[in-house]
Amino acid sequence: MSSTQMIDWDLAISTGTRWARPGPQVSLAEARRTVAELRDLAVAVQQPVYEVTGLSAAGDGSLGRVAVVDRPGWIRSNVDGFRVVLEPLVERLQQRAHVAGSGAAGAVISAVGSRVTGIQAGLILAYLSGRVLGQYELFLPPDASPVDGQQPGRLTLVAPNIVMVERELGVDSQDFRRWVCLHEETHRLQFTAVPWLREYVQHQMTEFLLASELDPAAILQRLRSAADAMAGAVRGGDGSSLIEAVATPAQREIMDRLTAVMTLVEGHGDYVMDAVGPRVVPTVAQIRERFNARRGSAGRIEQTLRRMLGIELKMKQYAEGSAFVRAVVEQAGMSAFNQVWASPQTLPTRQEFTNPRAWLDRVGSGF
């Protein structure tokens, strides 16, 4: 079984690009200016981020490339990343298929299933492509890496979404673009300055995939749980996301670890945005106020989709992680906080995120 048999990624791309909503109307000249400005700002905010965080890129200091893309471009780049992430699971499935043997009926079922999941993946990507402002891409396909495989990830900025949101908020465009770049540049620095972080995240994701239950009866039960999660999201409850609903017990333990590290990096990014902001983004207070208000003003359908896809959880991660970083820095300083990057063992536990003093007592008592 190949990766294209598991999920028809070409169909996912074509579905996603077909259903992605068009971006805001801009002239060709304005589009070019926006792309150039975002590239320049991504470089301009590097030094202020270094100064606030006390971090610097390891090795030769290379931070990798900056890509400014439109919505279809974001969809294509994420499919490339998914292919890399799913490779361990594809190999496991190939081994099973080789041992069990696969007849013509199995091949037909596999082909049909891959098209269904391809369409589903494409629709989700279409939805997300209109909402993501930027991201740091950890997982790049082999043809995007040099021979030694050591290329850093890629900072990606979605130009039409940034323009759309700055217009909706009625804020200074250059300030808003600089503010977005601060967040994504912090993520890029985290994963280039902390040698073990990328490998740790990749390992946890691989373990999560390999902990999947591939038994048909177990899969059916997970699908029922997913249906319950969808019903809960529609009712407006605070239940699990689709990923949480279909996770096995072993996967939930891994999700706790992944959630901890993502809460840290997202909260740290949010903290840096505001800490650097007053110096380089004069209207940061206005931007933050209006951006937070926009997050909370989504309609019923939008809120349902957010809960189902786990986006609401991501918003909570921003708030919880940012509060943790702020509390530790205020109590002990940035040098003490930076002990968090020493090893996986120094990451905060779920309980420590709500009790920063406990983390300081365990990890940073010397400060």
Side-chain angles (χ1 to χ4, degrees):
M1 179 180 292
S2 69
S3 61
T4 53
Q5 288 175 305
M6 179 181 173
I7 297 177
D8 188 333
W9 289 117
D10 290 336
L11 182 58
I13 291 173
S14 63
T15 301
T17 53
R18 183 183 308 120
W19 286 94
R21 298 178 65 181
Q25 291 294 314
V26 296
S27 67
L28 180 59
E30 183 180 355
R32 287 174 173 167
R33 283 196 301 271
T34 299
V35 170
E37 184 173 304
L38 287 170
R39 289 184 184 279
D40 290 344
L41 289 172
V43 174
V45 300
Q46 288 176 11
Q47 189 59 36
V49 170
Y50 289 172
E51 293 171 0
V52 166
T53 62
L55 300 174
S56 59
D60 63 1
S62 174
L63 292 175
R65 293 184 292 132
V66 176
V68 182
V69 299
D70 57 9
R71 290 170 181 176
W74 181 87
I75 290 171
R76 285 190 290 269
S77 67
N78 274 265
V79 165
D80 287 341
F82 289 151
R83 282 175 160 148
V84 173
V85 170
L86 288 172
E87 186 175 348
L89 182 58
V90 171
E91 291 176 355
R92 172 72 62 87
L93 291 172
Q94 286 174 333
Q95 292 169 2
R96 284 201 172 196
H98 179 72
V99 171
S102 56
V108 170
I109 292 172
S110 175
V112 172
S114 72
R115 290 185 64 80
V116 171
T117 52
I119 292 171
Q120 292 170 334
L123 292 173
I124 291 173
L125 287 168
Y127 169 78
L128 294 175
S129 71
R131 283 150 182 81
V132 174
L133 300 180
Q135 69 186 77
Y136 180 67
E137 296 179 74
L138 279 176
F139 309 111
L140 300 176
D143 58 2
S145 300
V147 176
D148 62 7
Q150 297 301 308
Q151 179 187 15
R154 181 170 56 210
L155 191 157
T156 300
L157 300 166
V158 190
N161 296 347
I162 293 172
V163 172
M164 177 186 72
V165 174
E166 69 191 25
R167 289 180 178 180
E168 287 181 7
L169 299 182
V171 294
D172 181 87
S173 63
Q174 190 174 64
D175 277 7
F176 183 75
R177 295 169 190 183
R178 187 179 284 110
W179 189 70
V180 171
C181 287
L182 283 170
H183 188 94
E184 303 311 329
E185 192 62 47
T186 302
H187 287 332
R188 181 156 69 158
L189 182 58
Q190 291 161 346
F191 285 97
T192 52
V194 182
W196 57 266
L197 188 57
R198 181 201 304 266
E199 184 178 346
Y200 177 80
V201 171
Q202 185 162 15
H203 176 73
Q204 296 301 321
M205 293 182 73
T206 298
E207 291 298 305
F208 180 87
L209 291 170
L210 295 182
S212 302
E213 289 180 347
L214 302 178
D215 175 71
I219 292 173
L220 180 60
Q221 181 57 46
R222 301 296 170 203
L223 291 175
R224 288 171 179 160
S225 298
D228 290 340
M230 290 175 68
V234 172
R235 289 194 300 269
D238 293 325
S240 59
S241 68
L242 290 182
I243 294 177
E244 293 171 309
V246 300
T248 66
Q251 285 177 316
R252 290 194 184 98
E253 291 184 15
I254 299 169
M255 279 186 67
D256 283 345
R257 294 193 289 273
L258 275 170
T259 298
V261 72
M262 297 315 296
T263 298
L264 176 67
V265 299
E266 293 292 1
H268 186 235
D270 240 27
Y271 171 85
V272 172
M273 287 170 81
D274 291 340
V276 175
R279 282 193 297 150
V280 299
V281 185
T283 59
V284 64
Q286 180 194 68
I287 290 173
R288 169 64 72 186
E289 179 184 1
R290 295 186 182 180
F291 191 75
N292 287 345
R294 180 181 181 272
R295 279 178 177 172
S297 64
R300 179 70 181 272
I301 295 177
E302 177 82 6
Q303 290 175 358
T304 299
L305 288 170
R306 285 181 177 182
R307 281 190 290 268
M308 287 168 56
L309 297 176
I311 297 174
E312 288 298 327
L313 173 63
K314 189 178 179 71
M315 297 302 102
K316 292 178 181 178
Q317 288 175 359
Y318 282 140
E320 191 175 79
S322 180
F324 172 83
V325 177
R326 186 171 292 104
V328 171
V329 173
E330 288 177 353
Q331 292 179 45
M334 184 59 75
S335 294
F337 168 78
N338 280 341
Q339 293 302 302
V340 81
W341 308 117
S343 73
Q345 288 69 45
T346 57
L347 292 171
T349 64
R350 176 172 287 186
Q351 292 73 28
E352 287 170 341
F353 271 111
T354 57
N355 184 7
R357 185 73 251 173
W359 179 84
L360 273 169
D361 290 343
R362 178 173 68 87
V363 175
S365 55
F367 294 84

